[in-house]
Amino acid sequence: GRSSPSSDPTPDANSPSLSLSLLRSSLYLTPTTTTTMMISHLRRITASPATTALLRRTLSTPASAGSVMKLNFNLPQETLYDSAEVTSVVVPGAMGEYEVTADHVPIVAEMKAGMLTIKHGDGEDEKYFVPGGFSLTHENSTTDIVCPEAVKLDDLDPALVTANYEAAKAAASSAEDGSADAAEAMIEVEVNKAMGAALGMTLA
């Protein structure tokens, strides 16, 4: 059975709500240069300026019968999924891609730049490019995804990704070693390379 509630008002550090709150705070308060530039870059190359308005999925359709999990997908400026029932989520973990399904063992993972795939009971896959973030899977078949930005894969323009990749490579080659310009250019290179891979392109 459950233990009796403690009289100590200090929140449980393992509680899902506190964990999610802490991760959200980290995205608000400690944005790295890399993350900030990734967000800026994502917004520059989306195919439509109305991409943000297109991100939110209508969740009124109930999930089909079967084994489902609940997904919370949060950006600093909005919530894309709120306790939505989905079949699984394929996470671009920093240590390797993995799939979360119902009854998955609890896991906390940092995400790398890459494709996040949300699978639905109707067989539909919804794909987003994310520049990083965190994924928290809890014991109750609930997963929290927190990241600084997300762009639907269909809203990325392959031609612009390629052009920006080549421009970033040229800038990296001409920049002084160890300079801020060199670091900025290499971030641009890596972001575009990750976008290209998400789109099925090989950029070298």
Side-chain angles (χ1 to χ4, degrees), residues 43-110:
R43 288 173 175 161
R44 283 208 306 275
I45 74 162
T46 52
S48 165
T51 296
T52 300
L54 296 174
L55 285 174
R56 192 180 302 276
R57 174 181 172 85
T58 301
L59 300 174
S60 57
T61 303
S64 61
S67 183
V68 295
M69 55 175 281
K70 288 190 176 181
L71 174 65
N72 300 308
F73 187 4
N74 295 281
L75 311 181
Q77 71 275 15
E78 66 177 322
T79 295
L80 302 180
Y81 283 76
D82 186 8
S83 296
E85 290 188 335
V86 301
T87 301
S88 68
V89 180
V90 181
V91 178
M95 302 300 291
E97 182 181 273
Y98 66 96
E99 185 170 12
V100 179
T101 58
D103 300 320
H104 195 284
V105 295
I107 182 173
V108 178
E110 182 178 359

Side-chain angles (χ1 to χ4, degrees), residues 57-202:
R57 174 181 172 85
T58 301
L59 300 174
S60 57
T61 303
S64 61
S67 183
V68 295
M69 55 175 281
K70 288 190 176 181
L71 174 65
N72 300 308
F73 187 4
N74 295 281
L75 311 181
Q77 71 275 15
E78 66 177 322
T79 295
L80 302 180
Y81 283 76
D82 186 8
S83 296
E85 290 188 335
V86 301
T87 301
S88 68
V89 180
V90 181
V91 178
M95 302 300 291
E97 182 181 273
Y98 66 96
E99 185 170 12
V100 179
T101 58
D103 300 320
H104 195 284
V105 295
I107 182 173
V108 178
E110 182 178 359
M111 297 190 299
K112 65 181 179 181
M115 182 167 64
L116 177 79
T117 303
I118 301 169
K119 298 183 178 182
H120 299 278
D122 57 6
E124 177 188 357
D125 289 356
E126 192 168 17
K127 299 178 179 181
Y128 292 87
F129 180 83
V130 297
F134 294 91
S135 173
L136 296 86
T137 296
H138 307 284
E139 291 182 348
N140 60 352
S141 292
T142 297
T143 291
D144 298 320
I145 300 290
V146 184
C147 56
E149 186 59 279
V151 179
K152 274 195 172 182
L153 207 62
D154 291 343
D155 293 329
L156 293 176
D157 186 331
L160 285 174
V161 172
T162 301
N164 282 326
Y165 177 75
E166 294 300 332
K169 279 208 311 181
S173 297
S174 62
E176 181 181 351
D177 288 345
S179 67
D181 287 343
E184 180 177 334
M186 284 309 301
I187 292 169
E188 294 280 343
V189 169
E190 293 304 317
V191 171
N192 280 287
K193 191 172 184 179
M195 287 184 186
L199 290 167
M201 303 160 54
T202 301

